[in-house]
Amino acid sequence: QVQLVESGGGLAQPGGSLRLSCAASGIAFSANDMAWYRQVPGKRREFVARVSSGGSTVYAYFVKGRFTISRDNAQNTVYLQMNSLKPEDTGVYYCNSVPATGTWGQGTQVTVSS
């Protein structure tokens, strides 16, 4: 079955950095586009970034220039390098394939605060 395990979240100061990882199993990882999403308090889950099976990337406007998505097909892992963090980046971050499977991981909490 599909399993998505996110990690790497934590507490960061404004302007700081974090690197998130997502280990995927139960899907044809290298053949799928993968994406990161986030759910910030009081809002619906929203798209953050996407990496195609060929490595092309797309970003939401609010993270463009600050976040970088990448993937390692040998490790079935997708990453999100988050730089210049802002308090409004606080939320739970999830990964999934594109289109999303019906299974979501537990997510990883990111808190940006001084």
XYZ file of all heavy atoms in Angstrom:
855
model
N 0.838 -1.178 0.000
C 0.000 0.000 0.000
C 0.885 1.244 0.000
O 2.057 1.188 0.311
C -0.933 0.007 1.234
C -0.255 0.219 2.562
C 0.326 -1.035 3.143
O 0.543 -2.018 2.444
N 0.611 -1.047 4.447
N 0.258 2.362 -0.338
C 0.984 3.629 -0.396
C 1.361 4.069 1.011
O 0.552 4.016 1.936
C 0.129 4.713 -1.075
C 0.857 6.054 -1.051
C -0.213 4.314 -2.512
N 2.605 4.505 1.144
C 3.060 5.063 2.409
C 3.921 6.279 2.109
O 4.838 6.222 1.279
C 3.846 4.041 3.220
C 4.114 4.486 4.648
C 4.696 3.370 5.507
O 5.192 2.382 4.998
N 4.631 3.543 6.814
N 3.592 7.371 2.777
C 4.334 8.629 2.624
C 4.754 9.079 4.011
O 3.912 9.261 4.887
C 3.443 9.679 1.967
C 2.925 9.302 0.570
C 1.723 10.149 0.200
C 4.024 9.455 -0.459
N 6.057 9.251 4.209
C 6.576 9.593 5.528
C 7.380 10.871 5.422
O 8.481 10.891 4.862
C 7.436 8.459 6.103
C 7.948 8.835 7.486
C 6.633 7.152 6.168
N 6.812 11.946 5.960
C 7.470 13.251 5.940
C 8.297 13.447 7.206
O 7.906 12.981 8.286
C 6.430 14.366 5.835
C 5.550 14.316 4.600
C 4.263 13.534 4.782
O 4.108 12.851 5.821
O 3.394 13.609 3.896
N 9.400 14.166 7.070
C 10.245 14.456 8.228
C 11.029 15.736 7.961
O 11.033 16.254 6.844
C 11.204 13.297 8.495
O 12.062 13.097 7.388
N 11.682 16.220 9.005
C 12.552 17.367 8.854
C 11.990 18.684 9.358
O 12.688 19.699 9.347
N 10.755 18.682 9.772
C 10.173 19.907 10.287
C 10.741 20.267 11.650
O 11.557 19.550 12.223
N 10.308 21.402 12.144
C 10.754 21.853 13.455
C 10.527 23.341 13.612
O 9.739 23.948 12.890
N 11.245 23.901 14.557
C 11.146 25.327 14.852
C 12.302 26.069 14.184
O 13.463 25.658 14.319
C 11.180 25.556 16.364
C 11.198 27.007 16.845
C 9.909 27.716 16.450
C 11.411 27.063 18.361
N 11.988 27.111 13.462
C 13.008 27.936 12.830
C 12.697 29.402 13.078
O 11.525 29.780 13.238
C 13.077 27.657 11.330
N 13.719 30.209 13.114
C 13.529 31.645 13.251
C 13.220 32.263 11.893
O 13.594 31.705 10.848
C 14.784 32.286 13.825
C 15.060 31.908 15.264
C 16.162 32.744 15.877
O 16.973 33.334 15.186
N 16.171 32.808 17.201
N 12.526 33.372 11.870
C 12.328 34.068 10.595
C 13.670 34.306 9.911
O 14.643 34.707 10.563
C 11.677 35.378 11.026
C 10.959 35.028 12.287
C 11.850 34.044 12.986
N 13.709 34.016 8.605
C 14.954 34.113 7.864
C 15.784 32.848 7.874
O 16.781 32.751 7.145
N 15.363 31.887 8.676
C 16.106 30.637 8.784
C 15.748 29.634 7.704
O 14.998 29.947 6.762
N 16.285 28.433 7.854
C 16.104 27.381 6.852
C 15.748 26.060 7.506
O 16.118 25.787 8.649
C 17.403 27.192 6.048
O 17.769 28.352 5.354
N 15.040 25.248 6.739
C 14.763 23.867 7.087
C 14.772 23.044 5.803
O 14.491 23.570 4.716
C 13.397 23.708 7.760
C 13.237 24.210 9.188
C 11.762 24.176 9.590
C 14.059 23.390 10.159
N 15.073 21.769 5.943
C 15.006 20.863 4.800
C 14.086 19.708 5.139
O 14.349 18.952 6.074
C 16.392 20.328 4.430
C 16.399 19.559 3.115
C 17.693 18.853 2.887
N 17.841 18.364 1.522
C 18.503 17.264 1.199
N 19.077 16.530 2.137
N 18.607 16.910 -0.075
N 13.016 19.592 4.386
C 12.051 18.528 4.583
C 12.361 17.356 3.649
O 12.840 17.556 2.537
C 10.634 19.021 4.307
C 10.194 20.283 5.040
C 8.721 20.560 4.738
C 10.427 20.177 6.532
N 12.030 16.159 4.128
C 12.177 14.945 3.324
C 10.873 14.181 3.332
O 10.113 14.244 4.306
C 13.277 14.047 3.896
O 14.522 14.688 3.916
N 10.632 13.458 2.272
C 9.452 12.603 2.193
C 9.853 11.303 1.522
O 10.239 11.295 0.348
C 8.340 13.277 1.411
S 6.950 12.187 1.026
N 9.752 10.225 2.274
C 10.046 8.898 1.743
C 8.746 8.244 1.293
O 7.796 8.159 2.075
C 10.721 8.045 2.808
N 8.719 7.823 0.048
C 7.505 7.254 -0.522
C 7.697 5.778 -0.835
O 8.782 5.360 -1.257
C 7.126 7.997 -1.800
N 6.650 5.008 -0.621
C 6.647 3.596 -1.006
C 5.249 3.231 -1.476
O 4.272 3.915 -1.174
C 7.082 2.708 0.158
O 6.224 2.872 1.254
N 5.173 2.154 -2.251
C 3.882 1.705 -2.743
C 3.398 2.426 -3.978
O 2.264 2.220 -4.410
N 4.248 3.292 -4.554
C 3.913 3.971 -5.799
C 5.089 3.836 -6.756
O 6.217 3.589 -6.326
C 3.584 5.470 -5.598
C 4.774 6.241 -5.022
C 2.369 5.639 -4.709
C 4.580 7.737 -4.991
N 4.823 4.015 -8.031
C 5.894 4.011 -9.028
C 6.577 5.373 -8.979
O 6.321 6.254 -9.805
C 5.310 3.729 -10.409
N 7.430 5.548 -7.989
C 7.948 6.873 -7.648
C 8.577 7.573 -8.837
O 8.253 8.723 -9.136
C 8.958 6.741 -6.508
C 9.502 8.058 -6.031
C 8.821 8.785 -5.067
C 10.697 8.562 -6.537
C 9.316 10.002 -4.616
C 11.196 9.774 -6.099
C 10.499 10.500 -5.134
N 9.487 6.932 -9.524
C 10.252 7.607 -10.581
C 9.362 8.008 -11.760
O 9.718 8.911 -12.519
C 11.391 6.727 -11.065
O 10.891 5.529 -11.612
N 8.222 7.382 -11.895
C 7.323 7.695 -13.011
C 6.308 8.770 -12.668
O 5.575 9.233 -13.551
C 6.589 6.431 -13.450
N 6.250 9.156 -11.404
C 5.250 10.107 -10.951
C 5.825 11.479 -10.670
O 6.922 11.602 -10.127
C 4.594 9.613 -9.648
C 3.472 8.638 -9.904
O 2.339 9.030 -10.147
N 3.797 7.362 -9.864
N 5.063 12.509 -11.037
C 5.354 13.828 -10.491
C 5.064 13.777 -8.993
O 4.157 13.062 -8.553
C 4.458 14.896 -11.139
C 4.811 15.142 -12.602
O 5.611 14.361 -13.167
O 4.276 16.110 -13.167
N 5.840 14.546 -8.221
C 5.640 14.601 -6.778
C 5.493 16.060 -6.356
O 6.010 16.963 -7.019
C 6.811 13.982 -6.033
C 7.012 12.498 -6.289
S 5.650 11.475 -5.667
C 5.763 11.760 -3.900
N 4.788 16.263 -5.276
C 4.540 17.632 -4.836
C 4.543 17.730 -3.321
O 4.321 16.742 -2.616
C 3.208 18.135 -5.386
N 4.800 18.943 -2.864
C 4.618 19.289 -1.452
C 3.395 20.192 -1.329
O 3.143 21.051 -2.196
C 5.845 20.030 -0.925
C 7.003 19.138 -0.634
C 8.057 18.848 -1.456
C 7.246 18.409 0.571
N 8.926 17.997 -0.839
C 8.452 17.710 0.416
C 6.558 18.290 1.781
C 8.988 16.888 1.412
C 7.075 17.483 2.769
C 8.287 16.791 2.582
N 2.665 19.972 -0.255
C 1.496 20.763 0.089
C 1.667 21.193 1.536
O 2.470 20.632 2.272
C 0.223 19.928 -0.032
C 0.029 19.256 -1.385
C 0.647 18.059 -1.686
C -0.788 19.839 -2.358
C 0.480 17.442 -2.921
C -0.968 19.229 -3.590
C -0.329 18.030 -3.859
O -0.500 17.432 -5.080
N 0.877 22.162 1.954
C 0.901 22.548 3.355
C -0.484 22.949 3.794
O -1.337 23.366 2.982
C 1.881 23.684 3.602
C 1.447 25.034 3.080
C 2.539 26.071 3.298
N 2.099 27.422 2.946
C 2.901 28.469 2.895
N 4.206 28.336 3.167
N 2.439 29.652 2.572
N -0.703 22.791 5.071
C -1.940 23.248 5.688
C -1.564 24.197 6.807
O -0.949 23.783 7.802
C -2.770 22.081 6.214
C -4.146 22.495 6.682
C -5.127 21.337 6.701
O -4.741 20.174 6.721
N -6.410 21.656 6.705
N -1.876 25.449 6.594
C -1.600 26.434 7.616
C -2.848 26.622 8.456
O -3.955 26.332 8.004
C -1.142 27.775 6.989
C 0.113 27.552 6.146
C -2.243 28.395 6.152
N -2.674 27.074 9.696
C -3.834 27.191 10.586
C -4.970 27.997 9.974
O -4.764 29.093 9.444
C -3.255 27.886 11.814
C -1.814 27.501 11.816
C -1.421 27.433 10.372
N -6.161 27.427 10.008
C -7.346 28.129 9.535
C -7.572 28.081 8.046
O -8.518 28.707 7.537
N -6.716 27.355 7.330
C -6.858 27.300 5.877
C -6.882 25.855 5.386
O -6.489 24.940 6.090
C -5.700 28.038 5.195
C -5.704 29.536 5.383
C -4.642 30.173 4.501
C -4.665 31.667 4.575
N -3.652 32.301 3.705
N -7.311 25.694 4.150
C -7.286 24.375 3.512
C -5.857 24.026 3.109
O -5.001 24.901 2.965
C -8.158 24.379 2.255
C -9.643 24.413 2.511
C -10.413 24.281 1.211
N -11.815 23.992 1.427
C -12.673 23.713 0.467
N -12.280 23.694 -0.795
N -13.935 23.450 0.736
N -5.640 22.737 2.889
C -4.355 22.305 2.382
C -4.110 22.980 1.029
O -5.014 23.047 0.189
C -4.344 20.789 2.231
C -3.000 20.192 1.877
C -3.099 18.670 1.849
N -3.333 18.126 3.174
C -3.944 16.964 3.407
N -4.410 16.240 2.399
N -4.096 16.526 4.631
N -2.893 23.457 0.816
C -2.596 24.181 -0.422
C -1.310 23.678 -1.057
O -0.424 23.153 -0.377
C -2.475 25.694 -0.140
C -1.381 26.067 0.838
C -1.386 27.540 1.194
O -2.220 28.313 0.679
O -0.519 27.934 2.014
N -1.223 23.856 -2.342
C -0.062 23.444 -3.116
C 1.127 24.350 -2.807
O 0.980 25.568 -2.711
C -0.403 23.514 -4.611
C 0.781 23.415 -5.528
C 1.338 22.188 -5.815
C 1.334 24.555 -6.083
C 2.434 22.100 -6.659
C 2.426 24.480 -6.920
C 2.976 23.247 -7.218
N 2.311 23.742 -2.689
C 3.527 24.506 -2.438
C 4.499 24.393 -3.623
O 4.972 25.399 -4.152
C 4.220 24.023 -1.147
C 5.574 24.704 -0.975
C 3.320 24.281 0.056
N 4.811 23.157 -4.031
C 5.803 22.968 -5.091
C 5.619 21.594 -5.703
O 5.126 20.669 -5.055
C 7.212 23.116 -4.548
N 6.085 21.491 -6.945
C 5.938 20.242 -7.702
C 7.216 19.975 -8.483
O 7.825 20.904 -9.013
C 4.752 20.374 -8.651
C 4.580 19.254 -9.665
C 3.327 19.519 -10.477
N 3.095 18.517 -11.503
C 1.949 18.368 -12.152
N 0.926 19.155 -11.891
N 1.815 17.431 -13.067
N 7.590 18.705 -8.538
C 8.717 18.296 -9.375
C 8.247 17.163 -10.273
O 7.646 16.190 -9.804
C 9.953 17.900 -8.531
C 9.660 16.763 -7.568
C 11.139 17.547 -9.432
N 8.488 17.309 -11.555
C 8.028 16.296 -12.503
C 8.948 15.078 -12.456
O 10.034 15.120 -11.862
C 7.999 16.872 -13.914
O 9.315 17.013 -14.412
N 8.506 14.028 -13.123
C 9.334 12.838 -13.194
C 10.664 13.137 -13.887
O 11.676 12.488 -13.625
C 8.592 11.724 -13.934
O 8.208 12.159 -15.222
N 10.666 14.165 -14.730
C 11.883 14.546 -15.443
C 12.700 15.615 -14.757
O 13.762 16.009 -15.253
N 12.185 16.110 -13.617
C 12.947 17.082 -12.835
C 12.523 18.526 -12.983
O 13.077 19.412 -12.323
N 11.549 18.802 -13.833
C 11.055 20.180 -13.949
C 10.302 20.566 -12.683
O 9.667 19.718 -12.055
C 10.129 20.313 -15.154
O 10.797 19.973 -16.339
N 10.367 21.842 -12.341
C 9.760 22.288 -11.091
C 8.763 23.421 -11.314
O 8.897 24.210 -12.257
C 10.832 22.761 -10.100
O 11.607 23.797 -10.704
C 11.744 21.611 -9.708
N 7.781 23.465 -10.421
C 6.777 24.526 -10.388
C 6.577 24.903 -8.926
O 6.559 24.029 -8.058
C 5.437 24.055 -10.997
C 4.382 25.157 -10.892
C 5.624 23.645 -12.452
N 6.421 26.216 -8.675
C 6.276 26.697 -7.302
C 5.052 27.586 -7.171
O 4.697 28.329 -8.099
C 7.515 27.492 -6.890
C 8.770 26.666 -6.865
C 9.606 26.603 -7.974
C 9.118 25.922 -5.727
C 10.747 25.831 -7.965
C 10.263 25.142 -5.713
C 11.064 25.095 -6.828
O 12.198 24.327 -6.819
N 4.448 27.547 -5.997
C 3.431 28.523 -5.659
C 4.094 29.884 -5.550
O 5.265 29.993 -5.136
C 2.760 28.156 -4.342
N 3.357 30.925 -5.882
C 3.953 32.254 -5.920
C 4.528 32.671 -4.571
O 5.514 33.397 -4.496
C 2.914 33.284 -6.379
C 1.855 33.594 -5.345
C 2.014 34.659 -4.445
C 0.708 32.819 -5.240
C 1.049 34.925 -3.484
C -0.259 33.092 -4.287
C -0.069 34.141 -3.411
O -1.025 34.393 -2.465
N 3.925 32.161 -3.491
C 4.334 32.638 -2.165
C 5.609 31.968 -1.658
O 6.132 32.332 -0.606
C 3.205 32.469 -1.144
C 2.526 31.132 -1.152
C 3.098 30.032 -0.519
C 1.319 30.954 -1.817
C 2.482 28.804 -0.546
C 0.687 29.728 -1.838
C 1.274 28.642 -1.201
N 6.143 30.990 -2.391
C 7.413 30.372 -1.988
C 8.472 30.500 -3.075
O 9.641 30.165 -2.844
C 7.252 28.886 -1.612
C 6.228 28.719 -0.489
C 6.912 28.032 -2.818
N 8.099 30.981 -4.226
C 9.035 31.061 -5.341
C 10.237 31.926 -4.971
O 10.079 33.010 -4.404
C 8.334 31.626 -6.580
C 9.061 31.340 -7.873
C 8.174 31.654 -9.071
C 8.859 31.247 -10.355
N 8.010 31.513 -11.552
N 11.413 31.389 -5.242
C 12.645 32.102 -4.917
C 13.160 31.805 -3.523
O 14.293 32.178 -3.192
N 12.346 31.147 -2.701
C 12.759 30.826 -1.325
C 12.871 29.322 -1.102
O 13.735 28.874 -0.354
C 11.770 31.407 -0.327
C 11.621 32.915 -0.402
C 10.791 33.437 0.768
N 9.408 32.933 0.739
C 8.840 32.260 1.746
N 9.528 31.976 2.838
N 7.585 31.851 1.648
N 11.993 28.562 -1.727
C 11.954 27.104 -1.544
C 12.459 26.414 -2.805
O 12.269 26.914 -3.931
C 10.540 26.619 -1.278
C 9.950 27.040 0.045
C 10.568 27.948 0.886
C 8.739 26.483 0.464
C 10.010 28.321 2.102
C 8.169 26.834 1.681
C 8.796 27.762 2.485
N 13.067 25.247 -2.621
C 13.534 24.434 -3.747
C 13.107 22.990 -3.546
O 13.429 22.390 -2.511
C 15.060 24.497 -3.889
O 15.473 25.863 -4.044
C 15.520 23.691 -5.092
N 12.387 22.449 -4.516
C 11.980 21.050 -4.466
C 12.955 20.230 -5.309
O 13.436 20.683 -6.363
C 10.523 20.873 -4.964
C 10.036 19.446 -4.725
C 10.371 21.283 -6.425
C 8.543 19.241 -4.992
N 13.253 19.029 -4.832
C 14.121 18.124 -5.584
C 13.716 16.694 -5.265
O 12.928 16.451 -4.340
C 15.599 18.367 -5.247
O 15.847 18.146 -3.875
N 14.281 15.760 -6.020
C 13.926 14.366 -5.802
C 15.147 13.475 -6.012
O 16.072 13.828 -6.752
C 12.798 13.960 -6.758
C 13.171 14.009 -8.223
C 11.932 13.818 -9.115
N 11.312 12.514 -8.898
C 10.045 12.237 -9.187
N 9.255 13.173 -9.698
N 9.570 11.020 -8.975
N 15.103 12.338 -5.351
C 16.124 11.304 -5.519
C 15.377 10.011 -5.847
O 14.829 9.374 -4.950
C 16.954 11.174 -4.246
C 18.081 10.156 -4.380
O 18.018 9.290 -5.280
O 19.012 10.198 -3.565
N 15.358 9.660 -7.102
C 14.591 8.483 -7.509
C 15.196 7.181 -6.970
O 14.477 6.205 -6.761
C 14.480 8.421 -9.030
C 13.575 9.493 -9.598
O 12.712 10.032 -8.895
N 13.780 9.834 -10.859
N 16.494 7.167 -6.740
C 17.117 5.963 -6.197
C 16.665 5.698 -4.760
O 16.636 4.549 -4.316
C 18.642 6.086 -6.250
N 16.326 6.777 -4.057
C 15.890 6.663 -2.657
C 14.388 6.825 -2.496
O 13.886 6.781 -1.370
C 16.596 7.732 -1.810
C 18.116 7.615 -1.789
C 18.583 6.349 -1.088
O 17.952 5.899 -0.135
N 19.658 5.771 -1.574
N 13.670 6.988 -3.613
C 12.216 7.222 -3.538
C 11.894 8.351 -2.560
O 10.969 8.237 -1.734
C 11.467 5.944 -3.140
C 11.329 4.975 -4.286
O 11.930 5.152 -5.341
N 10.536 3.941 -4.090
N 12.655 9.428 -2.652
C 12.526 10.517 -1.692
C 12.422 11.855 -2.427
O 13.124 12.087 -3.413
C 13.717 10.542 -0.727
O 13.775 9.288 -0.027
C 13.590 11.660 0.288
N 11.545 12.690 -1.910
C 11.424 14.050 -2.426
C 11.766 15.014 -1.285
O 11.452 14.748 -0.116
C 10.015 14.312 -3.011
C 8.917 14.118 -1.982
C 9.929 15.683 -3.655
N 12.422 16.099 -1.626
C 12.911 17.057 -0.633
C 12.298 18.437 -0.866
O 11.895 18.780 -1.979
C 14.431 17.179 -0.730
C 15.166 15.883 -0.539
C 15.621 15.145 -1.626
C 15.415 15.382 0.741
C 16.285 13.956 -1.464
C 16.088 14.187 0.918
C 16.529 13.481 -0.193
O 17.193 12.294 -0.007
N 12.295 19.219 0.185
C 11.913 20.618 0.084
C 12.889 21.428 0.927
O 12.849 21.364 2.159
C 10.471 20.853 0.547
C 9.951 22.270 0.301
C 9.781 22.517 -1.203
C 8.613 22.490 1.021
N 13.774 22.149 0.258
C 14.688 23.064 0.935
C 13.972 24.394 1.111
O 13.556 25.009 0.126
C 15.967 23.254 0.113
C 16.950 24.233 0.724
C 17.542 23.740 2.028
O 17.904 22.573 2.159
N 17.635 24.634 3.014
N 13.845 24.806 2.338
C 13.090 26.005 2.669
C 14.046 27.043 3.241
O 14.612 26.840 4.320
C 12.002 25.673 3.685
C 11.146 24.473 3.277
S 10.147 23.800 4.619
C 9.034 25.136 4.917
N 14.246 28.131 2.534
C 15.112 29.215 2.973
C 14.299 30.492 3.186
O 13.152 30.591 2.729
C 16.200 29.474 1.930
C 17.119 28.289 1.730
O 17.358 27.493 2.638
N 17.648 28.154 0.520
N 14.895 31.448 3.846
C 14.229 32.740 4.099
C 12.826 32.534 4.649
O 11.865 33.151 4.177
C 14.195 33.566 2.810
O 15.493 33.783 2.305
N 12.729 31.689 5.628
C 11.416 31.345 6.181
C 10.730 32.543 6.801
O 11.383 33.439 7.381
C 11.558 30.227 7.206
C 11.764 28.835 6.592
C 12.315 27.869 7.640
C 10.464 28.305 6.022
N 9.410 32.552 6.685
C 8.576 33.618 7.233
C 7.585 33.010 8.224
O 7.226 31.829 8.101
C 7.794 34.296 6.109
C 8.654 34.873 4.999
C 7.784 35.457 3.892
C 8.637 36.039 2.772
N 7.796 36.620 1.688
N 7.096 33.782 9.170
C 6.096 33.251 10.111
C 4.876 32.662 9.393
O 4.307 31.678 9.874
C 5.726 34.483 10.943
C 6.963 35.324 10.918
C 7.529 35.141 9.540
N 4.504 33.211 8.264
C 3.342 32.702 7.536
C 3.602 31.366 6.849
O 2.679 30.765 6.285
C 2.831 33.723 6.511
C 3.888 34.262 5.585
C 4.443 35.599 6.043
O 4.713 35.740 7.260
O 4.635 36.483 5.175
N 4.849 30.867 6.894
C 5.152 29.515 6.403
C 4.814 28.449 7.440
O 4.906 27.255 7.155
C 6.628 29.391 6.019
C 7.004 30.260 4.833
O 6.201 30.353 3.888
O 8.112 30.842 4.859
N 4.452 28.860 8.634
C 4.080 27.919 9.686
C 2.906 27.062 9.243
O 1.904 27.578 8.725
C 3.727 28.673 10.969
O 4.914 29.312 11.463
C 3.171 27.748 12.032
N 3.032 25.757 9.448
C 1.959 24.840 9.096
C 2.473 23.413 9.073
O 3.626 23.147 9.407
N 1.609 22.515 8.666
C 1.975 21.105 8.505
C 2.206 20.851 7.024
O 1.351 21.165 6.190
C 0.884 20.172 9.057
C 1.319 18.721 8.900
C 0.609 20.488 10.519
N 3.345 20.287 6.713
C 3.751 20.057 5.323
C 3.601 18.577 4.980
O 4.025 17.712 5.759
C 5.187 20.522 5.112
C 5.293 22.021 5.036
C 5.083 22.808 6.161
C 5.570 22.666 3.831
C 5.147 24.191 6.089
C 5.651 24.047 3.746
C 5.430 24.802 4.885
O 5.490 26.185 4.810
N 3.027 18.330 3.814
C 2.767 16.976 3.330
C 3.330 16.820 1.920
O 3.410 17.788 1.158
C 1.260 16.716 3.236
C 0.474 16.901 4.492
C -0.036 18.153 4.855
C 0.200 15.822 5.334
C -0.779 18.325 6.016
C -0.548 15.974 6.486
C -1.029 17.243 6.821
O -1.770 17.397 7.967
N 3.649 15.579 1.577
C 3.988 15.309 0.176
C 2.970 14.316 -0.376
O 2.261 13.625 0.369
C 5.395 14.747 0.037
S 5.580 13.054 0.590
N 2.897 14.287 -1.676
C 2.060 13.305 -2.348
C 2.427 13.303 -3.818
O 3.162 14.181 -4.287
C 0.566 13.620 -2.174
C -0.283 12.357 -2.115
O -0.088 11.430 -2.892
N -1.215 12.317 -1.181
N 1.934 12.318 -4.518
C 2.152 12.280 -5.962
C 1.182 13.254 -6.625
O 0.297 13.832 -5.989
C 1.944 10.860 -6.492
O 0.633 10.429 -6.233
N 1.364 13.432 -7.932
C 0.475 14.282 -8.715
C -0.065 13.437 -9.870
O 0.736 13.007 -10.716
C 1.188 15.524 -9.276
C 0.194 16.385 -10.074
C 1.810 16.330 -8.151
N -1.366 13.147 -9.934
C -2.376 13.547 -8.951
C -2.179 12.823 -7.617
O -1.536 11.779 -7.568
C -3.694 13.121 -9.613
C -3.310 12.020 -10.541
C -1.940 12.373 -11.046
N -2.735 13.413 -6.577
C -2.515 12.866 -5.239
C -3.179 11.501 -5.097
O -4.270 11.259 -5.621
C -3.074 13.823 -4.185
N -2.496 10.614 -4.395
C -3.118 9.352 -4.022
C -4.147 9.641 -2.938
O -4.207 10.736 -2.386
C -2.086 8.367 -3.460
O -1.660 8.825 -2.178
C -0.873 8.259 -4.364
N -4.948 8.671 -2.620
C -5.931 8.844 -1.568
C -5.333 8.744 -0.177
O -6.026 8.958 0.820
N -4.054 8.463 -0.116
C -3.380 8.299 1.176
C -2.464 9.490 1.438
O -1.696 9.879 0.569
C -2.540 7.017 1.183
O -3.392 5.888 0.951
C -1.825 6.844 2.506
N -2.567 10.048 2.639
C -1.688 11.139 3.068
C -0.903 10.673 4.267
O -1.400 9.919 5.104
C -2.503 12.381 3.415
C -3.146 13.004 2.215
C -4.346 12.661 1.667
C -2.616 14.053 1.404
N -4.583 13.436 0.563
C -3.551 14.306 0.383
C -1.446 14.815 1.441
C -3.346 15.281 -0.588
C -1.252 15.782 0.478
C -2.184 16.010 -0.535
N 0.321 11.140 4.373
C 1.126 10.849 5.538
C 0.701 11.696 6.715
O -0.288 12.438 6.654
N 1.488 11.619 7.774
C 1.158 12.377 8.978
C 1.590 13.831 8.870
O 1.178 14.672 9.656
C 1.815 11.724 10.212
C 3.289 12.076 10.425
C 4.228 11.446 9.429
O 3.861 10.573 8.654
N 5.487 11.898 9.434
N 2.413 14.111 7.873
C 2.915 15.467 7.707
C 4.042 15.763 8.689
O 4.335 14.988 9.603
N 4.668 16.904 8.487
C 5.707 17.354 9.402
C 5.459 18.815 9.727
O 5.217 19.641 8.842
C 7.119 17.121 8.807
O 8.109 17.433 9.779
C 7.373 17.913 7.540
N 5.479 19.126 11.017
C 5.144 20.473 11.486
C 6.322 21.425 11.299
O 7.440 21.122 11.718
C 4.749 20.431 12.965
C 4.501 21.789 13.590
C 3.225 22.438 13.096
O 2.182 21.806 13.017
N 3.308 23.731 12.761
N 6.045 22.542 10.690
C 7.028 23.618 10.548
C 6.503 24.825 11.304
O 5.369 25.273 11.073
C 7.261 23.973 9.063
C 8.099 25.232 8.933
C 7.915 22.805 8.338
N 7.313 25.334 12.212
C 6.936 26.517 12.980
C 8.020 27.569 12.810
O 9.196 27.297 13.079
C 6.753 26.185 14.459
O 5.754 25.164 14.603
C 6.316 27.415 15.245
N 7.630 28.721 12.320
C 8.580 29.813 12.118
C 8.218 30.926 13.095
O 7.172 31.571 12.971
C 8.565 30.325 10.677
C 9.638 31.397 10.489
C 8.757 29.185 9.699
N 9.090 31.134 14.048
C 8.800 32.091 15.102
C 10.092 32.524 15.767
O 11.042 31.751 15.862
C 7.870 31.465 16.140
O 7.688 32.333 17.244
N 10.103 33.759 16.214
C 11.262 34.247 16.962
C 11.055 34.044 18.461
O 11.925 34.383 19.254
C 11.508 35.712 16.655
O 10.339 36.483 16.909
